[in-house]
Amino acid sequence: MTVKTAPPNKTGRVGDVRRWLLSTAPRSRRQARLGRAYLAWRRFVENRLAVIGLSIIVLLVAVAALAPVLAPYPPNTPELTQRLDPPGRAHWLGTDELGRDIFSRIIHGSRLTLYVVVLVAVIAAPAGLAIGTVAGYAGGWVDTALMRITDIFLAFPKLILALAFVSALGPGIENAIIAIAITAWPPYARIARAETLTIRHSDFIRAARLMGAGPFRLVWGHVMPLCLPSLIVRVTLDMAGIILTAAGLGFLGLGAQPPLPEWGAMISSGRKFMLDQWWVAAMPGVAIFFVSLGFNLLGDGLRDVLDPKTEVR
């Protein structure tokens, strides 16, 4: 007589994986890293507002990726017979002064928003990280010179400084990105320098130096990775400011140029209809509000997870 054994259930497998991740004595670096990532994720999902922020950003990315599929109308094709139509079945968010569907333009405008945010982060964050870590590790006249340059940039409001650079470079989305990136790196340099000053005399830095590691290897391989958590949090929190700066430049006619569906430019073109056709300017403003809120909530959640001063439960 044969005895049938029940197949392992999914609950048992999940429990085994969880115990493996939460092991207090990991057997490999991979297990230790995955365990830390699992604890960080569990702490993150406990923050409901952070999960809401992450959901908004994921929705923004999905909308930008599927814009041609989701948009019911071409974003830049005018239809003068449907000028300034109110929100309804045909046009969910109404139409603008040229009869273009506002819902379609907001969907396609999400691509421009992500384009600006990603490029500014890619340019400004590494530049600030490199300047801050070099200044903090080298010290002396190098630190003084780099930090005084940083102070000069910090002395001006970001929007005013961005306006000056865009005026010199000329209007356009690419020039606006360059101008915003030039004004965005100083806070990252300050954070990286502060983190570097706290760890440059640590025992593991001294041990690596005794083993023959040079300044470049110490900064690149040991100092910069420890500065990344604080930098990631600051970059995420700054995304809302970057979006507002880009919208401000677009509102003033110095950012994305017509007929591109940039949200700030849409508000600028709709401000003359605010009293009677409020939806022309209000709808892109609501889009800016929710995306900025999503980045702020996500940044707060990441700060709770990545802050080394907090204990992971």
Side-chain angles (χ1 to χ4, degrees), residues 227-239 299 302 306:
C227 297
L228 284 178
S230 299
L231 194 70
I232 292 173
V233 173
R234 181 58 191 260
V235 170
T236 307
L237 290 172
D238 281 352
M239 292 301 184
L302 291 177
L306 299 177

Side-chain angles (χ1 to χ4, degrees), residues 85-102:
D85 283 350
R89 291 184 178 180
H91 302 280
W92 294 351
L93 302 183
T95 61
D96 62 7
E97 70 277 10
L98 296 178
R100 297 172 296 190
D101 183 63
I102 294 178

Side-chain angles (χ1 to χ4, degrees), residues 225-290:
L226 294 176
C227 297
L228 284 178
S230 299
L231 194 70
I232 292 173
V233 173
R234 181 58 191 260
V235 170
T236 307
L237 290 172
D238 281 352
M239 292 301 184
I242 292 171
I243 293 172
L244 292 176
T245 303
L249 294 177
F251 182 86
L252 297 174
L254 297 175
Q257 298 300 298
L260 291 177
E262 198 274 325
W263 293 344
M266 291 173 64
I267 296 176
S268 177
S269 64
R271 69 184 189 277
K272 64 185 75 171
F273 308 105
M274 278 295 295
L275 295 180
D276 297 323
Q277 291 83 22
W278 53 269
W279 58 87
V280 181
M283 297 306 178
V286 171
I288 293 175
F289 168 77
F290 276 107

